[in-house]
Amino acid sequence: MTTDYNPFENAKTQFDNAAELIRLDSAMREFLRVPMMELHFTIPVKMDDGTTKTFQAFRIRHNDARGPGKGGIRFHPHETADTVRALSMWMTWKCACVDIPLGGAKGGIVCDPRTMSQGEQERMCRGYIRAIHKQLGPNEDVPAPDVMSNSQHMLWMMDEYETITGAKHPGLITGKPVGMGGSLGRTEATGYGCVYILKDLLKQMNLPIETTSASIQGFGNVAQYSAKMYSELGGKVVSVSCWNQPDNTAYTFKKKDGCDIDKLMSISDAFGSIDKQKALDLGYEVLDADAWLSQEVDILIPAALENQITPAVFPNVSSKVKIICEAANGPTTPDCDALIQQRGIIVLPDFLCNAGGVTCSYFEQVQSNMNYFWDKEEVLAKLEYAMVKAFRAVYELAEQKKLYMRDAAYVIAIERVANAVKLRGWV
Ligand code: NAD
């Protein structure tokens, strides 16, 4: 897969297309096209071998007109400022699209936690908070986990913040462990959220879910719970792919009669890498990294990273594919959208499709601030309601105005944010 695409350029191209559609005035375009605030900083970390290593880190707030900034902190060796800029911008549209009172922000640390001890990871997390705690807070900017960061990292960060401020602030951060301010259902929320709206779309298309099949890229948090819910509803997951640490290679794991998701989860590590030998022992075919994309399935679910569906690989997508369910952020490049439209494939656009995570994070923040926690059924029922409501608004606008689903989602989100900016008198 190519890495030639710059996610921030992609995010701006998508925004420009939608801004043109709604004839957004030029001053508002200029303001919404770039983040409001960027923090670029370093975190010196004492490593276990006695050396000190300096990690590059970011926190970028794209827009907070509708509420405090909200967005995860990604740990990745190839993290860049432009990736974080793009992700922060998509967070703004995501929160607006699902209509929660939060803005868009994102963070990142250039690191590979798979090669770091627990102690090194803890010191890095605490260093992140020490560097930028003044710019964070339940009413300013609320971080969460993302790729390769998890609930333990969030808890260390919250603890550092509370140590510095001398008070309890469980609403500072979301994705915390259950029992320590975390919300039941948060682990499942992003993946389940994707499938809640996929289920509703299939209903609109008169396509029974039990007759459909899917291929998934990734087998981390989002992919696992999308796969789990989709299979439980009767869909058949033919293949999943993931990146494997020992040989630094990605593979696709295929079982044409359907993958056993619980079994695959039981042979995966905390970073979503499936044990290749154990998969072979269970009778899975192990194919190359890109094979997930060329399977003869009804639904493709990219749930790993950005820039995976490009014009270069799109010809490999089977003519059977009817839906691309964008569980990852930015998995499709803008120059591929026209090709997808020509084929009549329906796209559930990323910032709508994966909004279940931030919606549940919002529920977690509400519960944390109240110090009163709901049971899992209540969380998931509220989540499904919010996701389906957001999906139907986008779907109906797309039908009414004959818009591509991504453009319809952008129109709704940008209008909401621009309206908040105008009401505040900023532009
Ligand atoms: P994760 O770290 O839990 O999992 C990532 C998965 O992608 C792993 O299985 C990894 O092996 C796989 N992967 C990485 N590079 C790959 C490659 N080249 N080929 C195949 N597989 C590869 O991350 P996650 O939390 O599941 O996030 C996945 C995507 O969903 C990201 O785009 C993230 O921004 C987005 N997202 C996550 C959440 C959330 O709540 N976790 C919410 C919204 C959006």
Side-chain angles (χ1 to χ4, degrees), residues 89-303:
M89 196 165 177
W90 287 325
M91 284 307 297
T92 302
W93 312 137
K94 192 179 299 191
C95 293
C97 185
V98 80
D99 208 8
I100 53 178
L102 296 169
K106 200 82 185 188
I109 307 181
V110 185
C111 69
D112 191 342
R114 293 167 302 183
T115 61
M116 297 167 70
S117 71
Q118 288 291 298
E120 289 166 346
Q121 292 178 45
E122 177 175 352
R123 293 190 286 280
M124 182 179 76
C125 289
R126 290 185 184 277
Y128 190 93
I129 295 298
R130 274 200 304 280
I132 61 161
H133 65 94
K134 287 195 179 130
Q135 277 77 33
L136 301 176
N139 298 315
E140 287 85 24
D141 184 350
V142 184
D146 193 70
V147 172
M148 288 205 274
S149 55
N150 59 35
S151 59
Q152 177 62 74
H153 299 128
M154 298 305 110
L155 196 65
W156 286 325
M157 289 185 178
M158 184 191 79
D159 185 68
E160 188 66 22
Y161 186 82
E162 292 185 341
T163 305
I164 292 168
T165 58
K168 298 294 176 202
H169 293 287
L172 165 79
I173 208 158
T174 61
K176 303 180 292 294
V178 172
M180 291 299 295
S183 175
L184 289 164
R186 177 61 186 89
T187 307
E188 298 89 345
T190 309
Y192 280 15
C194 295
V195 180
Y196 290 149
I197 66 169
L198 173 63
K199 185 175 72 168
D200 212 62
L201 170 64
L202 290 171
K203 209 166 17 164
Q204 312 281 349
M205 294 168 75
N206 285 323
L207 207 56
I209 198 164
E210 316 81 56
T211 65
T212 65
S213 55
S215 176
I216 302 181
Q217 187 192 34
F219 203 60
N221 172 265
V222 179
Q224 289 180 4
Y225 287 97
S226 305
K228 203 167 155 63
M229 170 65 80
Y230 173 73
S231 319
E232 278 168 15
L233 292 172
K236 182 167 78 174
V237 177
V238 170
S239 54
V240 302
S241 74
C242 64
W243 193 29
N244 283 66
Q245 179 59 5
D247 52 4
N248 261 347
T249 312
Y251 297 104
T252 298
F253 298 87
K254 175 173 180 182
K255 207 165 227 187
K256 70 176 189 324
D257 296 330
C259 301
D260 180 336
I261 304 306
D262 286 329
K263 200 87 207 169
L264 282 179
M265 282 167 79
S266 74
I267 58 164
S268 303
D269 69 12
F271 300 105
S273 291
I274 297 170
D275 187 307
K276 190 173 148 198
Q277 189 52 52
K278 287 184 182 158
L280 283 167
D281 294 344
L282 289 169
Y284 282 81
E285 284 178 71
V286 178
L287 308 172
D288 67 31
D290 296 354
W292 75 277
L293 190 86
S294 54
Q295 299 304 310
E296 274 200 32
V297 290
D298 303 289
I299 304 157
L300 291 178
I301 308 183

Side-chain angles (χ1 to χ4, degrees), residues 45-53 115-117 119-120 123:
V45 175
K46 295 259 183 313
M47 306 303 277
D48 291 347
D49 64 4
T51 61
T52 300
K53 196 167 154 53
T115 61
M116 297 167 70
S117 71
E120 289 166 346
R123 293 190 286 280

Side-chain angles (χ1 to χ4, degrees), residues 3-14:
T3 52
D4 295 344
Y5 289 90
N6 176 324
F8 188 43
E9 293 306 320
N10 292 351
K12 286 191 288 189
T13 303
Q14 291 169 345

